[in-house]
């Protein structure tokens, strides 16, 4: 089946005091609002009180595992999947999406992942699952899918008999210390005021370990089983776009052509090989929802940092993974960062560029070098830098759109 889809969503939706309820869906709005896991619109609460910068540092501590997973992806291979980097006590991702599954709709808050291709939710009777589960028996539109259907061939960890029809059963590992088993099913999915009938997903019946998102995961990668492919809808937009590139070895990832980086008005001198896309090795630049802090390969990061410190006043210190921290009062005098892609530029606002300590006395440049344990020279544009941006994934036309929009 040939799927075409364009999907538009806010990369971050931070609620504030407004005249309207920021947590409610707006009529005729086809945007998908992505909710911070510990935001006021989310049912999840942080395991302990902490400052914003400490929350980011703790969430970003799982970034190396996330990047190692992304760099090791190979088509049709099953591996441990640290789907979202923000796993703490609750073991759930950085951002969730409110959906309704079934008829009538049952509300679920599912972790969003732009680098995963399959959706799955815990179902009633699940062993080891959280208290919130989907009840198939309460949905008039629910149905199981069997091994004879083409959707069954799209999931990894498949368990089907060689002969005779049977339910499509599969199992996958997750997060390095967890796994789940599920049967492939379909039901009506409602989100962003749109209804997707016969949406295929994994109905989880058992889990082991503590890293499975409590209310499931919504895969938004480039595969035929992702939300984007199954939506089959086309969203029009006039925002500027850049081509999406594709690696045959990592087909679920959204590669883009990063052509340069500017610090203020200065274009950082960057050898082309630090940015070049290589579909065989996976080198290049991707945009990802599950990595917290944007990471650049070491020499590229050092070139950006060295240009930045020319415009900043030291002394500089290290806080967590951030090695360029300084007196916060100097922030207003500092230059902005701009990421240049083929066909568009993404100028990062102050809140996407710097993080403040809880006391407010120091600020840090909010980018970091890629960890040494990745297999390919891959740059990752992460969710902290996607805040207050409108992101358009036009899978049908292989385009990615980025436009500044104040979601908060």
């Amino acid at each position: 089946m040939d799927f075409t889809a364009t999907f538009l969503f806010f990369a971050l939706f931070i609620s504030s005091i407004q005249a309207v309820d920021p947590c409610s869906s707006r009529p005729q709005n086809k945007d998908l609002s992505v909710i911070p896991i510990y935001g006021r619109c989310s049912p999840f609460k942080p395991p302990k009180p902490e400052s914003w910068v400490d929350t980011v540092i703790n969430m970003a501590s799982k970034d190396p595992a996330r990047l190692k997973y992304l760099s090791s992806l190979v088509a049709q291979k099953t591996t441990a999947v640290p789907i979202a980097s923000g796993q703490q006590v609750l073991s759930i991702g950085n951002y969730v999406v409110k959906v309704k599954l079934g008829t009538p709709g049952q509300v679920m808050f599912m972790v969003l992942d732009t680098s995963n291709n399959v959706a799955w939710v815990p179902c009633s009777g699940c062993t080891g699952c959280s208290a919130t589960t989907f009840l198939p028996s309460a949905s008039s539109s629910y149905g199981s899918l069997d091994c004879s259907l083409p959707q069954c061939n799209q999931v990894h960890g498949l368990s089907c008999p060689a002969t005779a029809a049977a339910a499509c059963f599969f199992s996958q590992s997750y997060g390095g210390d967890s796994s789940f088993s599920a049967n492939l099913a379909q039901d009506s999915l409602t989100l962003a005021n749109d209804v997707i009938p016969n949406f295929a997903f994994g109905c989880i019946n058992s889990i082991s370990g503590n890293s499975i998102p409590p209310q499931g995961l919504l895969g938004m990668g480039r595969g035929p089983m992702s939300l984007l492919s199954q939506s089959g809808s086309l969203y029009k937009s006039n925002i500027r776009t850049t081509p999406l590139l594709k690696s045959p070895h990592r087909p679920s990832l959204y590669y883009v052509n990063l052509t340069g980086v500017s610090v203020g008005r200065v274009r950082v001198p960057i050898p082309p090989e630090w940015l070049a896309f290589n579909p065989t090795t996976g080198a290049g630049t991707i945009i990802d929802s599950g990595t917290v802090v944007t990471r650049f390969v070491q020499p590229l990061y050092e070139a950006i940092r060295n240009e930045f410190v020319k415009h900043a006043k030291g002394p500089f210190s290290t806080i967590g993974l951030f090695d360029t921290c300084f007196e916060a009062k100097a922030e207003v005098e500092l230059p902005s960062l701009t990421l240049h892609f083929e066909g568009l530029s993404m100028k990062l606002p102050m809140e996407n560029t710097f993080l403040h300590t809880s006391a407010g006395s120091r600020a840090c440049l909010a980018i970091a070098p890629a960890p040494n344990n990745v297999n390919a020279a891959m740059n990752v544009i992460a969710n902290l830098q996607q805040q207050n941006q409108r992101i358009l994934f036009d899978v049908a036309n292989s385009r990615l759109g980025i436009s500044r929009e104040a979601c908060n």
Side-chain angles (χ1 to χ4, degrees):
M1 182 176 293
D2 181 21
F3 290 103
T4 59
T6 309
F7 205 85
L8 183 65
F9 77 101
F10 290 128
L12 180 63
F13 180 93
I14 300 181
S15 58
S16 60
I17 299 175
Q18 301 179 12
V20 296
D21 182 3
C23 300
S24 62
S25 297
R26 288 169 287 180
Q28 307 304 318
N29 183 9
K30 291 182 178 294
D31 298 335
L32 177 59
S33 292
V34 180
I35 305 169
I37 188 62
Y38 299 133
R40 63 180 284 193
C41 300
S42 169
F44 305 110
K45 304 302 177 186
K48 61 180 180 179
E50 59 185 3
S51 67
W52 166 239
V53 69
D54 287 339
T55 297
V56 172
I57 289 173
N58 288 336
M59 296 172 78
S61 67
K62 300 295 179 67
D63 275 358
R66 171 74 176 183
L67 268 67
K68 185 176 182 180
Y69 157 68
L70 293 175
S71 67
S72 64
L73 281 178
V74 178
Q76 303 303 318
K77 294 292 181 66
T78 302
T79 185
V81 185
I83 290 174
S85 55
Q87 297 169 0
Q88 298 181 5
V89 175
L90 291 176
S91 297
I92 48 182
N94 301 312
Y95 300 102
V96 294
V97 178
K98 182 181 179 181
V99 308
K100 292 181 180 179
L101 185 62
T103 307
Q106 301 175 40
V107 175
M108 307 290 287
F109 286 84
M110 303 174 70
V111 167
L112 177 78
D113 186 6
T114 57
S115 298
N116 192 272
N117 288 330
V118 181
W120 29 269
V121 298
C123 289
S124 59
C126 174
T127 303
C129 290
S130 64
T132 301
T133 59
F134 173 68
L135 279 68
S137 60
S139 174
S140 61
S141 51
Y142 175 85
S144 294
L145 299 178
D146 63 45
C147 293
S148 66
L149 297 174
Q151 295 98 318
C152 192
N153 293 323
Q154 301 297 332
V155 295
H156 300 320
L158 185 62
S159 178
C160 278
T163 59
C168 183
F169 180 84
F170 67 99
S171 59
Q172 291 185 359
S173 57
Y174 171 81
D177 63 349
S178 302
S179 62
F180 69 87
S181 61
N183 63 283
L184 195 63
Q186 65 180 17
D187 210 332
S188 175
L189 179 73
T190 304
L191 74 169
N193 296 307
D194 271 354
V195 178
I196 305 172
N198 302 321
F199 180 77
F201 64 96
C203 189
I204 297 178
N205 50 55
S206 67
I207 67 170
S208 63
N210 59 7
S211 295
I212 303 297
Q215 297 188 28
L217 178 137
L218 193 61
M220 292 184 64
R222 302 175 75 174
M225 291 289 286
S226 77
L227 170 66
L228 297 181
S229 295
Q230 292 195 62
S231 67
S233 55
L234 188 63
Y235 292 81
K236 303 291 185 181
S237 176
N238 294 321
I239 69 176
R240 300 185 68 178
T241 63
T242 187
L244 281 172
L245 311 176
K246 195 163 188 177
S247 167
H249 299 289
R250 298 171 177 86
S252 64
L253 303 185
Y254 292 100
Y255 279 91
V256 289
N257 185 15
L258 180 67
T259 59
V261 179
S262 291
V263 177
R265 298 182 178 181
V266 178
R267 186 83 171 225
V268 179
I270 299 173
E273 58 268 24
W274 295 355
L275 302 174
F277 170 63
N278 187 319
T280 301
T281 65
T285 302
I286 68 168
I287 185 164
D288 180 52
S289 66
T291 307
V292 178
V293 175
T294 290
R295 305 281 185 141
F296 295 107
V297 294
Q298 187 71 39
L300 176 55
Y301 170 77
E302 291 177 356
I304 297 171
R305 180 188 184 277
N306 290 343
E307 182 61 40
F308 176 81
V309 299
K310 293 178 183 178
H311 304 269
K313 295 180 180 179
F316 299 101
S317 61
T318 298
I319 299 177
L321 74 161
F322 304 113
D323 63 5
T324 311
C325 301
F326 48 88
E327 290 296 323
K329 63 183 179 181
E331 180 182 348
V332 294
E333 304 172 2
L334 296 175
S336 59
L337 298 184
T338 302
L339 307 180
H340 302 287
F341 302 96
E342 180 182 344
L344 67 85
S345 293
M346 179 183 182
K347 184 177 181 180
L348 301 181
M350 298 290 276
E351 65 267 24
N352 295 34
T353 309
F354 305 105
L355 283 176
H356 290 264
T357 60
S358 56
S361 59
R362 298 191 70 76
C364 302
L365 181 63
I367 60 174
N372 295 323
N373 63 344
V374 298
N375 297 328
M378 187 165 62
N379 305 301
V380 180
I381 310 303
N383 60 52
L384 186 62
Q385 279 63 48
Q386 295 175 47
Q387 292 185 125
N388 294 309
Q389 304 282 349
R390 182 179 288 264
I391 310 294
L392 174 77
F393 291 97
D394 185 345
V395 177
N397 297 305
S398 295
R399 308 290 297 185
L400 177 92
I402 303 174
S403 177
R404 173 78 173 137
E405 183 161 334
C407 304
N408 62 343

